[in-house]
C-alpha cells in the first residue's frame, strides 16, 4: 500500500470524459499519457519525450489491436517550445489549466 499514490476509485476509467478526450484527439480505446506540471528542463521532460519517441513507432507497427497512444501535456513554462519541437505529431498541449 502506497499512501501517497493515486486514488484508484477517483481516477478510474469509469469517470472518463469522452468529449475532453476527443478534444485531445483521443478516440475511444486510445491510451492517453498525460504529463501535468511545469514545462521546465529540471522536470525530466526530455526523458519523457525520448520514451514517447521509442514507444510510438513500436505501437504503430504492432497489430491493430494495440491501442493508440495520445500524449497530453498540461502546463506551461520555459521548456514549452522545446517540448513542442520534440513531441510526437499527435501530442496535445493544453496549456495551463
Amino acid at each position: 500500500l502506497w499512501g501517497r499514490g493515486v486514488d484508484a476509485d477517483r481516477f478510474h476509467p469509469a469517470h472518463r470524459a469522452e468529449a475532453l478526450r476527443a478534444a485531445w484527439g483521443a478516440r475511444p480505446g486510445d491510451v492517453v499519457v498525460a504529463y501535468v506540471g511545469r514545462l521546465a528542463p529540471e522536470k525530466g521532460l526530455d526523458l519523457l519525450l525520448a520514451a514517447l519517441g521509442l514507444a510510438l513507432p513500436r505501437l504503430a507497427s504492432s497489430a491493430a489491436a494495440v491501442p493508440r497512444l495520445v500524449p497530453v501535456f498540461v502546463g506551461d513554462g520555459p521548456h514549452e517550445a522545446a517540448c513542442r519541437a520534440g513531441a510526437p505529431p499527435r501530442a496535445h498541449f493544453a496549456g495551463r489549466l
Side-chain angles (χ1 to χ4, degrees):
L1 178 62
W2 183 24
R4 298 182 324 165
V6 174
D7 181 342
D9 292 326
R10 184 172 180 188
F11 296 96
H12 188 275
H15 303 298
R16 283 187 176 159
E18 293 300 333
L20 178 60
R21 291 170 55 84
W24 296 336
R27 302 179 302 213
D30 287 351
V31 173
V32 173
V33 175
Y35 169 83
V36 180
R38 188 164 184 267
L39 301 179
E42 64 271 14
K43 299 294 186 176
L45 293 167
D46 292 338
L47 180 60
L48 173 59
L49 292 169
L52 289 170
L54 291 172
L56 288 170
R58 290 179 186 202
L59 290 175
S61 64
S62 298
V66 175
R68 286 188 337 149
L69 191 69
V70 179
V72 175
F73 294 82
V74 179
D76 63 8
H79 203 52
E80 183 173 349
C83 288
R84 286 181 180 272
R90 195 170 30 235
H92 177 80
F93 287 81
R96 180 186 282 188
L97 299 175

